[in-house]
Amino acid sequence: YNRSIVFSDELDSLIKRLILEDQKAVKNKLLTSSRAVYTILAYYTGLRKGELYSRFLKDMYYVEDKKFYISVNNKGVKLINKKNNSSIVSLKNHNAKRDFEFEISNSKHFKIVKDYFDQLKNYKVKFLFPGVNKNNNISRFNVIKIKKINEINTILQDITNRYTVIHSFRHTYVTTEINKMLNSKSQLEGIFDLIYRVGHSDPEITLKFYAHLDLYYLIN
């Protein structure tokens, strides 16, 4: 399966492994869950790698009942590229700019994200996923190195033993959302809401290339 989806037990294994690895690598306790939070948000939002990576802290806020609101815009993208003097990240097209609400239904996943988010606000940082400074402490103005995010691909594939990368969380999000839709009355309205949330312009792209219901049903 090209760009296979990721199942909940595999997500849990990935979260655990990322936290263990980062506990050895960084001083600050908060940053030990940074990549785990990135992974959880990728799973529950379907954002592209660069879209999530470039979010400012102020682009996301907690609503209520395990629900968050996130804004995808160009501000973080521009700042990252300016600091690196090259095009490190970009938004794919004009449909990539969007704002929507999402829910982290799993209580453990929600707690990891909420604790991280609440503590991060005390540091007055620019980015949702801040980097570290020379003293290995949280950097107020820099984002985590893209290399650290890319390493998630290798770890995930090692856990699943099939072709899965960060982009697979996007496929997973679409698949699970469509499966929910099939059991609801507002399917047509739901599909157009979904293509907005994932930043597509054409429903065919979403349904043809991102929905892996056959694999979803087979495993479950």
Side-chain angles (χ1 to χ4, degrees), residues 75-132:
K75 294 177 182 177
V77 172
K78 290 179 179 178
L79 183 57
I80 290 171
N81 291 338
K82 183 179 179 181
K83 283 179 174 291
N84 288 275
N85 203 25
S86 62
S87 184
I88 300 294
V89 66
S90 64
L91 296 187
K92 191 170 184 179
N93 50 46
H94 70 279
N95 292 304
K97 293 182 180 180
R98 58 207 190 274
D99 308 82
F100 62 93
E101 189 176 276
F102 66 94
E103 180 182 1
I104 301 178
S105 54
N106 182 289
S107 296
K108 289 182 180 178
H109 299 165
F110 168 75
K111 187 177 186 310
I112 292 172
V113 173
K114 187 66 164 56
D115 288 350
Y116 172 86
F117 186 67
D118 288 344
Q119 291 179 58
L120 192 60
K121 289 187 289 186
N122 297 326
Y123 287 88
K124 298 180 181 179
V125 295
K126 198 79 174 173
F127 288 97
L128 181 58
F129 302 101
V132 295

Side-chain angles (χ1 to χ4, degrees), residues 47-210:
L47 291 186
R48 298 177 179 94
K49 181 178 75 172
E51 292 172 350
L52 184 54
Y53 173 74
S54 57
R55 288 312 87 221
F56 283 158
L57 178 58
K58 66 180 182 180
D59 289 333
M60 180 173 140
Y61 64 83
Y62 177 61
V63 183
E64 60 181 356
D65 299 328
K66 298 182 182 178
K67 293 179 181 178
F68 292 86
Y69 185 88
I70 196 160
S71 173
V72 182
N73 53 68
N74 240 330
K75 294 177 182 177
V77 172
K78 290 179 179 178
L79 183 57
I80 290 171
N81 291 338
K82 183 179 179 181
K83 283 179 174 291
N84 288 275
N85 203 25
S86 62
S87 184
I88 300 294
V89 66
S90 64
L91 296 187
K92 191 170 184 179
N93 50 46
H94 70 279
N95 292 304
K97 293 182 180 180
R98 58 207 190 274
D99 308 82
F100 62 93
E101 189 176 276
F102 66 94
E103 180 182 1
I104 301 178
S105 54
N106 182 289
S107 296
K108 289 182 180 178
H109 299 165
F110 168 75
K111 187 177 186 310
I112 292 172
V113 173
K114 187 66 164 56
D115 288 350
Y116 172 86
F117 186 67
D118 288 344
Q119 291 179 58
L120 192 60
K121 289 187 289 186
N122 297 326
Y123 287 88
K124 298 180 181 179
V125 295
K126 198 79 174 173
F127 288 97
L128 181 58
F129 302 101
V132 295
N133 55 29
K134 292 179 180 179
N135 298 320
N136 211 25
N137 290 316
I138 292 180
S139 171
R140 287 188 61 191
F141 303 106
N142 294 315
V143 69
I144 187 175
K145 297 292 184 184
I146 192 68
K147 177 185 175 184
K148 297 298 294 180
I149 297 299
N150 289 335
E151 286 173 1
I152 297 174
N153 292 324
T154 305
I155 300 169
L156 177 60
Q157 197 155 323
D158 184 53
I159 289 170
T160 64
N161 290 312
R162 63 183 184 279
Y163 184 70
T164 45
V165 291
I166 290 170
H167 201 74
S168 298
F169 292 121
R170 187 167 165 80
H171 287 245
T172 305
Y173 177 76
V174 171
T175 301
T176 53
E177 289 299 302
I178 289 178
N179 184 59
K180 290 177 190 174
M181 240 175 275
L182 293 176
N183 299 311
S184 71
K185 295 180 180 179
S186 55
Q187 293 179 9
L188 184 61
E189 180 184 340
I191 189 62
F192 282 101
D193 180 54
L194 177 60
I195 65 170
Y196 170 78
R197 281 181 275 139
V198 295
H200 285 161
S201 58
D202 187 349
E204 186 178 1
I205 296 173
T206 310
L207 295 170
K208 187 175 181 180
F209 298 107
Y210 283 80

